[in-house]
Amino acid sequence: MSSLENRITTVVVGGGHAGLAASHFLSERGIDHVVLERGEVANSWRRERWDSLRLLTPNWQSRLPGHAYDGPDPDGYMTMGEVVGFIDGFAARTRAPVRTGTTVTSLRRTDDGYHVTTDQGELACRAVVLASGACNLPAVPATLSEAVPAGVEQVTPFTYRGPDQLPDGGVLVVGASATGVQLAAELRRSGRPVTLSTGEHVRLPRTYRGRDVLWWMDASGVWDTRYDEVPDLTRARRLASPQLAGTPGRTTLDLNALTADGVELVGRATAVRDGQLLFSGGLRNVVSLADLKMERLLGTFDAWAQETGVDSDVKPPERFEPTRVPGSPRLRLDLRGGEVRTVVWATGFRPDYSWLDVPVVDGKGRLVHDGGVVDSPGLYALGLPVLRRRKSTFIHGAEDDARDVVDHLAGYLATRR
Amino acid sequence: MTTIDSIDNGVNVQALLDARETLKGAPEAARFTWRSTTRWENGVHTTSTVKDYFGLGAEHSHKTESSFTADHPEVFAAEDHGITPIEYLLVGLGSCLTAGVASVAQNRGIQLRSVEATLEGAHDIRGILGADSDVRNGYDGIKVTFSIDADASREDIEALVAQSQKRSAVFDALTNPTDVTVEVA
Ligand SMILES: Cc1cc2nc3c(=O)[nH]c(=O)nc-3n(C[C@H](O)[C@H](O)[C@H](O)COP(=O)(O)OP(=O)(O)OC[C@H]3O[C@@H](n4cnc5c(N)ncnc54)[C@H](O)[C@@H]3O)c2cc1C
């Protein structure tokens, strides 16, 4: 690899779909730039996902600027290989100037822009787009994880590939967002006893009134809600992913489905004492919060369908059975007893900004920004939860956000010549 | 949203929302210490008093000192001067959840006419008697039943009750483990 040119207008950190979308709009405006990627294009889909994963968003929804799914199964869900192919295709189509195998190790502010240090050389630029991803590391509750006895295996979504890799015997999955419910279902299917520790979560049916529930999110405009219109933005940005899976049968993967498969539900994991993992007694509350929120969301879909006349094109409104909770959910589990051989931490992900030497990260490790405009001139972000819209972290959410952010960036470059 | 202004459950929600904003940037001021003192009377009869607390960076006192008598009932061969300590947990939980319902209702513009919570704690006393080591000392379950008369749909009332649990100090203290230190002065 040739060494980096030492001056360029804009640097994009990260060659995932968000960085590539930024690159597309930068090229459109003729702004010279480079996309720095530590691995390959779509690296996180290649290296940081488990084997059976499919997108939970349907194929027709996988769209990037000027690039959409055009295969035979618009209602299906992409495998990891297909996602990589899709994003690679976009990079090729847009001729994105990507430098693969280039890790940014430091980003510093200078008098007239930024100084970028990489493992392949140094670079000076006027503007930077942080598109390094929102899910660089699994977020594992350290106090719990450290107290798990040595004989119990612990895995995260980054180290988990499939059931074969785990010892036989019981599994405790901690966390009931998309990742947790998907891994609980897969491990249960492998014949293992599975316990699922459930805190606050988002329940959704896979299909509603005959359409993919994400069609409703899209068509009714819920997903387009702007960040400055969301009532409680901090909360919206922390919201876990919905209990959805992309399966060929388009089946719902809520807690009732898991219970029917023999998964045992327990409350949120709160502490380890004397080798016993303790669960919250508030399971019924989190479950009814999720049921009520789902009902409310479906209610807004129905109202929208009525207003717009979509009503006649879809099946009649449906209501779903309340979530069943065991009569007396277990409050403790002895981790030394041999019942559980593996703990799966499906407790979320977080970004890694350890290389960012600009003081724009708050005490909780979150980037401080206003709709992707970071509080440091010429610094921008993409791909973070509800960055500019509810759909910001999703593949189909990148286009609108990247266009807006690059607009702002172009304005910044134009005024500071 | 005219309804929000016209309804009144007697909760100053604006003050609470303002406090939330202020304390976001002042975590030290948000640290409170609640206190109570228990004096032994005789037998299993005790008197507890509550007056002072610390918060917002300073010492405070309630307007009046409150006093609580606890004892055991006659079926436990005691004199029954007052309710049992474990019943005080029901008192704490019921008042906390009910206060939460009123606050959330105010915030959501729901006028309450009446709210009543009935609490039942199931307790196997073989635990405290040491009659069976597999039985725990505390409640094996608590059931709270709300009867609420308000200008709202059943769904909205259920949402009030769910949200009040989500923000309840006592619900959290009872459903999640708390580190407790007991020392001799
Ligand atoms: C388990 C899981 C399932 C998901 N399922 C869906 C789904 O079904 N549908 C959907 O629309 N979205 C889904 N998402 C959300 C989102 O689409 C993905 O997280 C996606 O990878 C985000 O794209 P991105 O470009 O923002 O970040 P990434 O894809 O993570 O890209 C960031 C890139 O930056 C690189 N990078 C990071 N740090 C540096 C550095 N210091 N120097 C150089 N390069 C660096 C990384 O190698 C990576 O390639 C899912 C996310 C996860 C975690």
Side-chain angles (χ1 to χ4, degrees):
Chain A
M1 170 165 304
S2 64
S3 73
L4 293 162
E5 314 254 331
N6 53 23
R7 228 195 136 83
I8 195 154
T9 306
T10 299
V11 166
V12 178
V13 185
H17 75 257
L20 296 169
S23 166
H24 163 82
F25 288 111
L26 289 166
S27 297
E28 214 176 59
R29 287 176 168 275
I31 298 172
D32 85 300
H33 67 280
V34 64
V35 178
L36 303 180
E37 166 55 54
R38 61 183 169 185
E40 296 167 74
V41 162
N43 204 57
S44 52
W45 299 108
R46 292 176 202 264
R47 308 257 178 272
E48 297 167 358
R49 309 282 191 258
W50 57 98
D51 294 344
S52 67
L53 180 65
R54 284 174 181 265
L55 290 189
L56 54 78
T57 41
N59 289 334
W60 58 263
Q61 204 159 49
S62 289
R63 48 187 187 228
L64 288 164
H67 190 63
Y69 174 85
D70 58 1
D73 183 18
D75 290 329
Y77 308 92
M78 289 184 191
T79 61
M80 289 306 97
E82 290 165 339
V83 184
V84 169
F86 180 78
I87 296 176
D88 260 344
F90 179 66
R93 171 179 282 192
T94 56
R95 296 198 189 85
V98 185
R99 284 294 186 129
T100 54
T102 305
T103 304
V104 175
T105 54
S106 161
L107 179 73
R108 270 189 301 108
R109 193 157 161 202
T110 57
D111 289 341
D112 58 348
Y114 294 89
H115 186 87
V116 185
T117 309
T118 79
D119 59 352
Q120 306 293 322
E122 319 258 320
L123 204 58
C125 62
R126 294 184 54 209
V128 175
V129 179
L130 305 173
S132 47
C135 303
N136 305 119
L137 297 166
V140 176
T143 49
L144 297 184
S145 166
E146 282 159 15
V148 171
V152 176
E153 189 120 352
Q154 301 188 52
V155 296
T156 69
F158 275 36
T159 54
Y160 176 84
R161 283 287 162 274
D164 290 350
Q165 149 208 13
L166 301 189
D168 287 336
V171 181
L172 171 71
V173 177
V174 183
S177 60
T179 301
V181 295
Q182 290 181 24
L183 298 189
E186 169 162 294
L187 288 162
R188 181 70 199 120
R189 276 196 302 276
S190 75
R192 291 172 173 82
V194 174
T195 307
L196 178 63
S197 165
T198 307
E200 276 198 73
H201 56 274
V202 180
R203 180 185 181 193
L204 284 182
R206 180 69 263 185
T207 57
Y208 183 60
R209 304 180 65 177
R211 300 277 178 97
D212 197 301
V213 74
L214 299 182
W215 175 84
W216 289 92
M217 293 283 284
D218 195 66
S220 70
V222 171
W223 249 344
D224 287 321
T225 320
R226 287 175 50 100
Y227 75 112
D228 45 12
E229 294 164 0
V230 170
D232 186 346
L233 184 60
T234 314
R235 195 183 129 66
R237 285 184 168 161
R238 273 196 344 240
L239 199 66
S241 55
Q243 291 173 336
L244 285 176
T247 57
R250 295 222 282 172
T251 45
T252 293
L253 187 56
D254 59 9
L255 298 179
N256 281 345
L258 289 169
T259 300
D261 286 345
V263 171
E264 180 188 351
L265 302 184
V266 295
R268 185 169 187 273
T270 55
V272 181
R273 266 191 204 159
D274 308 326
Q276 305 247 0
L277 186 50
L278 306 183
F279 304 112
S280 169
L283 177 61
R284 266 186 210 85
N285 181 230
V286 292
V287 152
S288 63
L289 282 166
D291 283 0
L292 286 160
K293 281 189 190 126
M294 176 183 72
E295 298 267 311
R296 209 176 306 144
L297 183 68
L298 300 180
T300 58
F301 293 162
D302 293 338
W304 168 82
Q306 222 165 20
E307 272 165 37
T308 52
V310 169
D311 236 2
S312 48
D313 305 341
V314 291
K315 293 192 180 145
E318 299 172 75
R319 282 301 172 263
F320 299 92
E321 200 204 336
T323 302
R324 295 187 302 277
V325 173
S328 22
R330 274 206 281 180
L331 297 174
R332 57 184 65 221
L333 197 155
D334 193 344
L335 292 171
R336 297 158 310 188
E339 180 190 343
V340 163
R341 300 288 311 282
T342 310
V343 176
V344 178
W345 298 106
T347 34
F349 304 93
R350 61 186 177 85
D352 176 11
Y353 294 123
S354 55
W355 47 273
L356 185 59
D357 298 316
V358 187
V360 286
V361 177
D362 73 11
K364 294 192 171 176
R366 291 177 301 215
L367 191 75
V368 182
H369 68 90
D370 179 9
V373 181
V374 181
D375 188 20
S376 178
L379 190 57
Y380 296 88
L382 280 175
L384 302 178
V386 202
L387 183 98
R388 295 188 65 82
R389 292 167 181 85
R390 277 204 203 274
K391 62 183 176 184
S392 289
T393 36
F394 292 89
I395 293 171
H396 69 281
E399 177 165 3
D400 287 345
D401 279 14
R403 183 189 300 108
D404 291 353
V405 160
V406 170
D407 270 355
H408 195 291
L409 185 152
Y412 168 78
L413 292 177
T415 53
R416 319 267 168 108
R417 273 208 192 277
Chain B
M1 294 272 242
T2 49
T3 47
I4 296 206
D5 298 328
S6 56
I7 73 116
D8 186 8
N9 297 320
V11 181
N12 188 345
V13 167
Q14 196 50 50
L16 298 178
L17 295 176
D18 291 348
R20 173 162 86 179
E21 281 316 303
T22 315
L23 294 179
K24 260 185 198 167
E28 274 316 303
R31 301 211 64 91
F32 274 63
T33 305
W34 305 106
R35 308 185 183 109
S36 77
T37 309
T38 301
R39 204 178 60 245
W40 176 60
E41 302 287 354
N42 183 42
V44 293
H45 173 198
T46 58
T47 305
S48 300
T49 50
V50 178
K51 181 140 205 292
D52 302 326
Y53 61 94
F54 176 87
L56 305 176
E59 282 295 327
H60 298 271
S61 290
H62 286 287
K63 277 189 195 155
T64 52
E65 182 177 87
S66 295
S67 174
F68 304 91
T69 306
D71 201 347
H72 282 172
E74 289 179 343
V75 294
F76 287 2
E79 292 174 353
D80 206 2
H81 291 285
I83 65 172
T84 60
I86 200 164
E87 286 169 298
Y88 277 106
L89 290 182
L90 300 183
V91 175
L93 180 61
S95 31
C96 195
L97 291 177
T98 306
V101 165
S103 309
V104 179
Q106 182 79 45
N107 195 33
R108 293 187 179 176
I110 297 174
Q111 179 65 56
L112 299 173
R113 280 185 292 272
S114 71
V115 182
E116 190 170 287
T118 312
L119 287 88
E120 274 181 25
H123 191 199
D124 185 340
I125 66 162
R126 284 178 301 168
I128 49 175
L129 292 175
D132 185 337
S133 59
D134 290 336
V135 175
R136 70 181 286 186
N137 296 335
Y139 287 125
D140 24 80
I142 296 176
K143 181 150 197 270
V144 185
T145 311
F146 268 102
S147 300
I148 297 179
D149 181 13
D151 288 327
S153 65
R154 184 177 175 90
E155 214 178 38
D156 286 344
I157 289 176
E158 280 176 2
L160 281 184
V161 171
Q163 184 67 19
S164 122
Q165 292 163 72
K166 187 177 153 167
R167 286 275 164 264
S168 164
V170 182
F171 183 85
D172 174 72
L174 282 172
T175 53
N176 294 312
T178 305
D179 189 32
V180 180
T181 313
V182 181
E183 289 174 346
V184 176

